[in-house]
Amino acid sequence: MIFKLLSVIVLTASLVGCSILKDTLGFVAQKPKVSVESIRIAKVDLKELNLEVRLSVENPNAFDLVFSDLQYEIDIHNSALASGVYKDKLKVAAYEKKTLEIPLKIQTQNTLQILGRILFERKPVPLNWQGQANFHSPVGTMMVKFADQKEMRF
């Protein structure tokens, strides 16, 4: 009976110790934060609307992460405006915050309602941005989903 009790105590202490050790050494990965800093019009012509989307990527961990395989969708008033995949990788050091600029081209047929609102009503356009990205770390790969809304202005 005493042997079983001692075994339970040793096992419990080991598990608690491992948990504290993991947290202390930074081996428990926290999900990074991805948010949209801004969406701005870079260029407008008769064929397309060129946007620049600035994302903020924040690493709350004690180790480096590599951001990759961004998949995204942008809609306006629940109508799909654009979607795509951004394959470039971005290394985000421990406790670092980086900005990623993504060029986005939208064909003219999808931009008429946006241009009308901006040019004639002189109102900012609320765009909904959602997506997911992979973050590679020493403890594995995490998929992080995010969603945000930003106003686009001229």
Side-chain angles (χ1 to χ4, degrees), residues 3-17:
F3 179 72
K4 287 182 182 179
L5 182 60
L6 284 173
S7 297
V8 170
I9 291 172
V10 169
L11 180 61
T12 303
S14 297
L15 292 176
V16 170

Side-chain angles (χ1 to χ4, degrees), residues 39-57:
I39 300 175
R40 73 171 191 87
I41 297 175
K43 180 182 171 190
V44 177
D45 63 30
L46 296 175
K47 295 180 184 177
E48 61 192 15
L49 174 66
N50 295 314
L51 303 177
E52 179 184 277
V53 179
R54 297 187 83 186
L55 294 180
S56 171
V57 181

Side-chain angles (χ1 to χ4, degrees), residues 50-105:
N50 295 314
L51 303 177
E52 179 184 277
V53 179
R54 297 187 83 186
L55 294 180
S56 171
V57 181
E58 188 174 347
N59 180 5
N61 296 292
F63 46 82
D64 297 351
L65 294 174
V66 177
F67 171 93
S68 70
D69 302 318
L70 170 67
Q71 298 175 21
Y72 59 87
E73 295 177 3
I74 298 176
D75 68 63
I76 178 172
H77 303 297
N78 296 320
S79 297
L81 183 64
S83 64
V85 176
Y86 185 78
K87 290 284 188 183
D88 289 354
K89 294 181 179 182
L90 175 71
K91 182 179 178 182
V92 186
Y95 305 115
E96 184 179 40
K97 182 178 180 179
K98 280 197 171 178
T99 300
L100 174 65
E101 294 181 2
I102 300 172
L104 180 64
K105 292 181 182 183

